[in-house]
Amino acid sequence: MWQLRTCLFSYAPLVLADRATQENMYKNYLFPAIYPMTEKEHTKTIELDPQPKLAENTKNGKSLKIGLVGNYEDTEETRFLLTPEGCGLLTSSGIKIVMECGAATDISFPDSAYTEFGVEIAKREEALKADIVLSYLPLREDDIKKMKDGASLFTMMDESLFEMKVIKALIDKNITAGCLDNMYSYNDEPVFANIIDEIDGRASIIYAQEFLSYVGGGKGVLLAGVAGLNPCEVLVIGDGTTAYSAAKAAMAAGAYVTLMNNDISALQVAKQYCGDALNTVAIHPRVLYNKVKGADVILIGECTRPFEFPKNLSVAIKDTVYVLNFNETKPSLSVPRTVAMAISNVLVNFFSDMLIKGGVNAMVSATPGVQSGIVCYRGKLVDKLVASYLNLSSVDIKVMLAASN
């Protein structure tokens, strides 16, 4: 009764209108069981408006095609960008992926592992015809010429991008080329570069331990100390994610670690990143000599300010010391599957965001962090460093985007 009274109270103005309105109210609102609807009323349907936004997203997803190509056989490169599971997350969202046959051999995945997740296996030429081509290292001139006009290429930065013939091929084919490790996330972090740097740093300690062990041709020394024995001394010279990750990995292995740099504020950051167990020391000639003299492992990276390891210190280095220069050696080459798994996690988010925004051009236009990694945009050279090295003119990508909008 309370519900009935509430309804009557709500519709009181209608009851007072006229007899026809009152009867219609009873039939349709209060007592539908007493006044059943006619067959015509019962079969009446309501037409809903279409959903253009949903249809547009589906269309963009189906039209997006990614070509995944492998590394060149005449290089030492082993790293790869996508795992089968990463491809599965992309294909489930409507993105089509065509992979070169045998492209994932370096990370120990057969082609069948990718086909299970909806990836099409084809020849390299067909993968290069995709809307977006993924390759760890930049493509060479011959492969760029096989790409579609106006397609996009995403790679990691490499010295081959400073070759005139490569840049000319990108311009001639109207290609948008971007380096993933030069791009920034929404919180201004070079997420792709950080992943590679961290893996390089951690893998360098694996190199060092293997070198010191009997298996690696060393004297059979363990980095960590045991009861009654001092641990090995690891000297890391440099700054950034690679140096910090190497220092943390060495400390985790039980070594005594010293990090040296020529900037005190950077050493303070390193202390916060690695913890109080890290020994931080400013680069000073006498101190550097003493540290090099006692080190069992020396890892050299980029310092905050320009620094070159003194050649005359080679006389102070132990005969059994392990020395690795991150500018010359990339330890992540020995763990390419880990690289692929880590990069895949970021690429899934990257292409999901691209799908939402409506394609490569919309992604570049709406994302400043992506713009920072673009070398060529729609056939125009926009990277000032590459242009300066090749003595070419470059275009400001922000001006191009403003003009297109």
Side-chain angles (χ1 to χ4, degrees), residues 146-371:
K146 297 175 184 177
M147 294 178 62
K148 288 173 54 178
D149 289 342
S152 301
L153 172 65
F154 291 103
T155 69
M156 306 295 277
M157 174 57 80
D158 184 73
E159 59 184 10
S160 59
L161 277 177
F162 290 85
E163 297 179 7
M164 178 68 77
K165 58 183 179 181
V166 172
I167 295 299
K168 187 177 184 302
L170 292 172
I171 294 175
D172 292 342
K173 295 291 289 185
N174 198 30
I175 301 294
T176 295
C179 294
L180 298 171
D181 46 345
N182 285 344
M183 297 180 183
Y184 290 81
S185 62
Y186 68 95
N187 55 347
D188 294 329
E189 286 291 332
V191 58
F192 290 101
N194 284 345
I195 287 175
I196 302 301
D197 290 345
E198 182 177 357
I199 296 176
D200 277 332
R202 293 184 177 276
S204 67
I205 303 305
I206 300 177
Y207 277 31
Q209 180 60 86
E210 182 179 358
F211 177 85
L212 296 175
S213 69
Y214 181 78
V215 176
K219 291 187 175 182
V221 180
L222 187 67
L223 278 174
V226 296
L229 296 177
N230 288 323
C232 287
E233 294 188 23
V234 176
L235 174 62
V236 182
I237 303 174
D239 185 31
T241 304
T242 304
Y244 299 166
S245 299
K248 288 187 69 174
M251 288 189 295
Y256 177 77
V257 183
T258 299
L259 177 66
M260 300 190 73
N261 194 4
N262 50 18
D263 183 80
I264 300 301
S265 61
L267 291 175
Q268 293 173 340
V269 174
K271 197 81 169 180
Q272 296 174 355
Y273 185 90
C274 300
D276 293 335
L278 177 66
N279 182 34
T280 55
V281 180
I283 294 178
H284 185 276
R286 184 175 295 275
V287 178
L288 179 62
Y289 174 83
N290 292 331
K291 288 296 180 181
V292 168
K293 185 178 180 180
D296 299 291
V297 176
I298 300 176
L299 306 175
I300 305 172
E302 293 286 345
C303 293
T304 306
R305 295 185 177 89
F307 170 79
E308 185 175 352
F309 189 82
K311 295 182 179 179
N312 59 353
L313 287 183
S314 58
V315 297
I317 296 177
K318 296 179 182 179
D319 294 336
T320 58
V321 71
Y322 174 73
V323 181
L324 184 147
N325 191 328
F326 289 113
N327 297 320
E328 300 173 356
T329 305
K330 299 301 179 184
S332 58
L333 289 170
S334 63
V335 286
R337 188 161 179 161
T338 297
V339 173
M341 290 188 292
I343 294 293
S344 288
N345 293 331
V346 188
L347 282 177
V348 168
N349 294 335
F350 180 80
F351 285 113
S352 297
D353 193 21
M354 183 182 295
L355 196 63
I356 293 172
K357 292 179 179 177
V360 175
N361 291 334
M363 178 81 161
V364 174
S365 179
T367 316
V370 174
Q371 296 172 17

Side-chain angles (χ1 to χ4, degrees), residues 71 78-84 103-110 114 335-341:
N71 298 309
T78 59
R79 293 166 291 187
F80 201 61
L81 293 176
L82 280 173
T83 61
T105 302
D106 290 335
I107 60 173
S108 303
F109 276 120
Y114 284 85
V335 286
R337 188 161 179 161
T338 297
V339 173
M341 290 188 292

